[in-house]
Amino acid sequence: QVQVLESGGGVVQAGASLRLSCTIFGSVFRPKAMGWFRQTPGKEREFVASISENGESTDYADSVKGRFVISRDNDENSVYLQMITLKSEDTAVFYCAVSTWNDNPGRQKLNYNHWGQGTQVTVSL
């Protein structure tokens, strides 16, 4: 079994920074692509960022380009999301997504087969 655990969320003021972490436990094989999605009440879970197995390829939603940076540490079996200049519209539950089979899953949720429980990010004015 695989367990995906996110941390690092919290309540911050607009313009502040947060660093989200996600660690995969119980994994025999190194994950391939990993990513971050976010969701607000009444809306679909939306793509935020992804990173390939070797860390050389990244993808970002237009709304976060230039503000968010995704990275990974395969020795720690972890993926991170450094967020700066947070805006109120970034408020959401952020979910860590893992694909154990696809290194180019794109922005489709179905291409990720393991998910964390989510960590709340609240950006206040």
Side-chain angles (χ1 to χ4, degrees), residues 10-66:
V11 180
V12 298
Q13 293 180 326
S17 301
L18 281 174
R19 181 175 181 265
L20 305 183
S21 298
C22 172
T23 300
I24 295 86
F25 297 93
S27 178
V28 175
F29 303 100
R30 192 175 76 180
K32 293 190 175 180
M34 295 190 286
W36 291 93
F37 289 71
R38 65 187 180 186
Q39 187 172 25
T40 56
K43 300 176 66 176
E44 283 197 51
R45 192 170 299 183
E46 67 176 4
F47 171 81
V48 175
S50 66
I51 186 167
S52 61
E53 182 180 7
N54 62 11
E56 295 182 356
S57 179
T58 58
D59 188 25
Y60 297 92
D62 289 342
S63 60
V64 306
K65 285 181 179 177

Side-chain angles (χ1 to χ4, degrees), residues 44-119:
E44 283 197 51
R45 192 170 299 183
E46 67 176 4
F47 171 81
V48 175
S50 66
I51 186 167
S52 61
E53 182 180 7
N54 62 11
E56 295 182 356
S57 179
T58 58
D59 188 25
Y60 297 92
D62 289 342
S63 60
V64 306
K65 285 181 179 177
R67 297 190 298 119
F68 292 8
V69 176
I70 188 170
S71 61
R72 66 190 290 166
D73 185 340
N74 289 331
D75 291 333
E76 297 292 333
N77 223 20
S78 297
V79 62
Y80 309 95
L81 188 68
Q82 180 66 53
M83 307 183 293
I84 66 170
T85 319
L86 283 162
K87 307 173 183 293
S88 60
E89 53 262 43
D90 294 319
T91 296
V93 177
F94 281 71
Y95 295 90
C96 178
V98 178
S99 178
T100 60
W101 62 276
N102 192 341
D103 202 32
N104 187 30
R107 304 180 176 190
Q108 299 299 316
K109 296 185 291 291
L110 287 175
N111 290 335
Y112 300 87
N113 56 316
H114 295 284
W115 294 83
Q117 295 179 341
T119 184

